Amino acid sequence: MPGPDAAGHHAADHAVPANCRNCGTAVADHYCPHCGQETRLHMPSFTEFAHEFISHYVALEGKLWGTFMRLLFRPGALTNEYLAGRRRRYVEPLRLYLTLSILFFALIKVSGVSVFSTTVDTAPAVIAGAPAARGVEKSPAERGDTLEIGASLPQELKGWPAVAHAVDRFDELGNEEKGKALSASFFRYAPYAMFCLMPLFALYLKGLYVGTGRRYGEHLLFALHVNSFAFVMFTAFAVMPDGFFKFLLFCWLLGYLPWAMRRVYRKSRWGTALRWVALMALHMLSLAAAVLVAMFLGIALAR
């Protein structure tokens, strides 16, 4: 039996087989004409593994660099490129969205960022909007007292026995158990909720731009791109200390969507501004509803 060559491959590895090892189709060249798999197979060396990783997952033949440059610094340009038919040179929209959303949720989970707080005084700037003013008496929640969900539950929901029972059981837990239950619910359901909001976001765009001839798929493409950008910004906010640069990123996040809308849909500044306000209002309501659903799922599953 012939020995391995300088690269560690046997002569038999270089011979073209009569049939594709993957689908069984007759082959006579380096690639199968039916499934596209290579016909000359061998066990890859470490160098080949490293080369494949760098070229495919890092370089991506320039896809990654070109995608992120347009996504981050040219609002709407990536969507226009895709609609113009220039697609092979960029990362697919759905893959881009899923990758960035997974990275964001993984980062905040690993970093230990507190998602929910059962007392207001631990994060008054986040929950109350700003620290309590000096000389103003704090409420029981602001003094760090336990927040009871049942006390603020609407009467309509209290009429549902299952909901009332779940809330009563949740209120019996200690602060630490409540925080763990809500955080676990967030990490379990938030990624799915955010993904399910994409078709709704696109539906809002469809309604706001009715009569423009844009198909629903075009609005969905735009939604995937702008929300991919948002995940990049949220990830940066999670790892970046407070300061002037973080403020600049917030301003860029705030102005990105209307800029992208104007570049893609080509409407007037005032028309874009009005649609942006309406879109943000609708999306915030949807987002709040999704968060409430995730929170109540956490309450119902709390033990």
Side-chain angles (χ1 to χ4, degrees):
M1 180 178 179
D5 57 17
H9 306 149
H10 291 273
D13 294 331
H14 295 280
V16 178
N19 299 91
C20 173
R21 294 185 177 95
N22 182 56
C23 65
T25 302
V27 295
D29 207 342
H30 297 295
Y31 296 92
C32 174
H34 181 71
C35 68
Q37 177 173 287
E38 291 183 81
T39 56
R40 295 183 175 181
L41 301 177
H42 61 269
M43 290 303 297
S45 64
F46 174 79
T47 303
E48 289 173 314
F49 268 124
H51 180 269
E52 180 179 359
F53 176 82
I54 294 173
S55 62
H56 186 68
Y57 293 101
V58 179
L60 287 175
E61 298 178 354
K63 286 185 178 182
L64 193 62
W65 177 256
T67 299
F68 272 94
M69 287 298 293
R70 285 164 177 79
L71 179 69
L72 298 180
F73 305 112
R74 297 184 60 191
L78 197 58
T79 302
N80 282 340
E81 287 286 282
Y82 193 92
L83 293 177
R86 295 182 286 271
R87 305 177 182 182
R88 294 283 295 177
R89 64 185 69 175
Y90 305 111
V91 179
E92 292 83 353
L94 183 58
R95 178 178 296 181
L96 180 67
Y97 173 87
L98 292 176
T99 301
L100 293 176
S101 64
I102 290 172
L103 289 175
F104 167 71
F105 286 108
L107 176 65
I108 61 174
K109 187 172 185 179
V110 171
S111 62
V113 175
S114 179
V115 179
F116 290 98
S117 177
T118 53
T119 57
V120 177
D121 65 339
T122 56
V126 176
I127 299 177
R134 185 174 299 179
V136 178
E137 184 179 356
K138 295 182 179 180
S139 66
E142 290 172 328
R143 292 195 298 269
D145 296 344
T146 301
L147 295 178
E148 300 292 339
I149 302 297
S152 58
L153 192 68
Q155 291 295 329
E156 293 80 4
L157 292 179
K158 288 182 179 180
W160 294 8
V163 174
H165 175 70
V167 170
D168 290 339
R169 186 177 59 182
F170 180 81
D171 284 340
E172 293 174 357
L173 299 175
N175 282 352
E176 185 176 354
E177 287 77 11
K178 289 179 181 177
K180 288 181 179 179
L182 292 175
S183 295
S185 177
F186 173 81
F187 287 113
R188 180 181 299 177
Y189 299 110
Y192 300 104
M194 295 296 290
F195 182 76
C196 291
L197 286 178
M198 288 303 96
L200 191 58
F201 190 93
L203 187 62
Y204 295 151
L205 286 168
K206 178 69 173 177
L208 291 171
Y209 287 99
V210 64
T212 60
R214 298 273 186 175
R215 297 182 177 181
Y216 177 78
E218 298 178 54
H219 302 299
L220 185 58
L221 171 68
F222 180 78
L224 289 171
H225 281 153
V226 296
N227 282 275
S228 296
F229 168 81
F231 276 122
V232 176
M233 293 294 101
F234 294 154
T235 302
F237 291 153
V239 300
M240 187 179 300
D242 293 336
F244 180 70
F245 188 64
K246 193 171 185 178
F247 172 74
L248 290 180
L249 286 183
F250 176 76
C251 293
W252 183 231
L253 174 64
L254 193 63
Y256 185 93
L257 180 57
W259 192 342
M261 291 169 65
R262 180 164 166 76
R263 174 171 281 168
V264 172
Y265 294 100
R266 294 181 173 86
K267 293 297 181 180
S268 66
R269 288 186 176 88
W270 281 109
T272 299
L274 291 175
R275 288 179 173 90
W276 172 71
V277 171
L279 179 63
M280 284 295 92
L282 292 170
H283 188 56
M284 289 299 103
L285 288 174
S286 302
L287 190 60
V291 171
L292 286 175
V293 170
M295 184 181 71
F296 275 106
L297 284 174
I299 293 173
L301 297 178
R303 293 290 185 268

